[in-house]
Amino acid sequence: MIKTLANQVIALAGLAQATYLVKQIAQRGTADAGDLDAVVRSVFAIDADDVPAVYGGIERLKTGLQLLDRQLAGFEPPDAELARYGATLILLERKLVSDRRMLETLRTGIEQVKEQAEYFGELNDTVYANLADLYQRTVSQLRPRVMVNGQPSYLTNSANANRIRALLLAGIRSVVLWRQCGGARWKLLFQRSAMRKEARRLLQASQR
């Protein structure tokens, strides 16, 4: 992937959208189906032509771009919970890529679930359940674990739990993409203004 600021921001928008949907499901028991589809399908987009194609186009990341714009507005993010989810996934991605065996298990598992998704033609409960199982067998074994806050009645619902785990896996996918495009933690501190400006530009472009 080309290492540009635009590509880094698109990947961060994917991460922001994934963590936002985790929060929505955990606290409300539901989330926008289109937003959900865009980020979860990114897990399967291994051979995409470019970064926007990973998510099916930047127009499918409007929610993520809007969130990123707000999160970068000041030194302290307005939604500390989303920032915590994102920071934890960024840390877990580093640990994941250093574990070759786990990374291979993840890659093999993704290919298998991708075949199921293509067979069904949609992200149904079976696909979500298998993505959730893959997350539990890999990323969930690393520390620190992502501690999701929400309503117990929603968190204990198996379908919701599977979607949350699939979204966390999608968040990891976005972090991997962000790294491939030249992303680094120090840039989140020292290039906030430039990233916010780019997020706004991409948001305008997505609405044309």
Side-chain angles (χ1 to χ4, degrees):
M1 294 296 179
I2 300 176
K3 296 182 178 181
T4 65
L5 181 62
N7 283 343
Q8 292 168 32
V9 169
I10 291 170
L12 285 176
L15 173 61
Q17 190 159 305
T19 56
Y20 173 75
L21 294 171
V22 166
K23 183 177 179 179
Q24 289 290 100
I25 294 174
Q27 296 187 356
R28 300 184 181 183
T30 187
D32 183 87
D35 286 351
L36 189 67
D37 187 86
V39 290
V40 174
R41 284 190 183 277
S42 72
V43 174
F44 307 128
I46 307 299
D47 300 316
D49 293 333
D50 53 33
V51 175
V54 171
Y55 303 97
I58 58 172
E59 66 277 2
R60 284 164 59 83
L61 287 178
K62 288 181 182 179
T63 298
L65 288 167
Q66 290 169 347
L67 285 164
L68 194 60
D69 177 28
R70 292 198 296 270
Q71 291 291 87
L72 294 172
F75 185 76
E76 291 293 333
D79 194 322
E81 187 172 3
L82 293 187
R84 177 173 61 82
Y85 291 160
T88 304
L89 289 173
I90 287 173
L91 179 59
L92 288 173
E93 183 269 348
R94 287 290 81 189
K95 294 189 176 183
L96 174 64
V97 297
S98 65
D99 189 327
R100 293 185 179 181
R101 181 175 296 180
M102 183 177 289
L103 196 58
E104 185 58 33
T105 298
L106 186 58
R107 287 171 177 166
T108 301
I110 287 173
E111 286 297 327
Q112 292 173 345
V113 182
K114 181 181 179 181
E115 291 178 3
Q116 293 175 339
E118 291 174 347
Y119 175 79
F120 290 117
E122 61 179 3
L123 299 178
N124 61 16
D125 288 342
T126 300
V127 173
Y128 278 111
N130 288 330
L131 284 175
D133 176 69
L134 184 59
Y135 175 85
Q136 286 185 294
R137 290 189 288 114
T138 55
V139 181
S140 187
Q141 302 301 311
L142 302 172
R143 295 294 180 273
R145 298 182 68 176
V146 182
M147 304 304 294
V148 177
N149 296 322
Q151 296 294 326
S153 59
Y154 297 139
L155 292 172
T156 55
N157 178 282
S158 60
N160 286 338
N162 287 340
R163 280 164 174 73
I164 286 172
R165 292 185 180 110
L167 283 165
L168 292 174
L169 192 59
I172 289 286
R173 166 67 174 122
S174 288
V175 177
V176 170
L177 184 62
W178 172 65
R179 295 279 191 190
Q180 290 174 335
C181 294
R185 294 184 70 176
W186 68 265
K187 293 183 179 181
L188 297 176
L189 294 174
F190 299 109
Q191 293 189 351
R192 297 175 70 87
S193 179
M195 287 191 294
R196 189 184 185 203
K197 182 177 180 181
E198 185 61 24
R200 289 185 166 187
R201 185 191 71 80
L202 289 167
L203 187 58
Q204 290 180 342
S206 72
Q207 296 171 339
R208 291 172 186 168

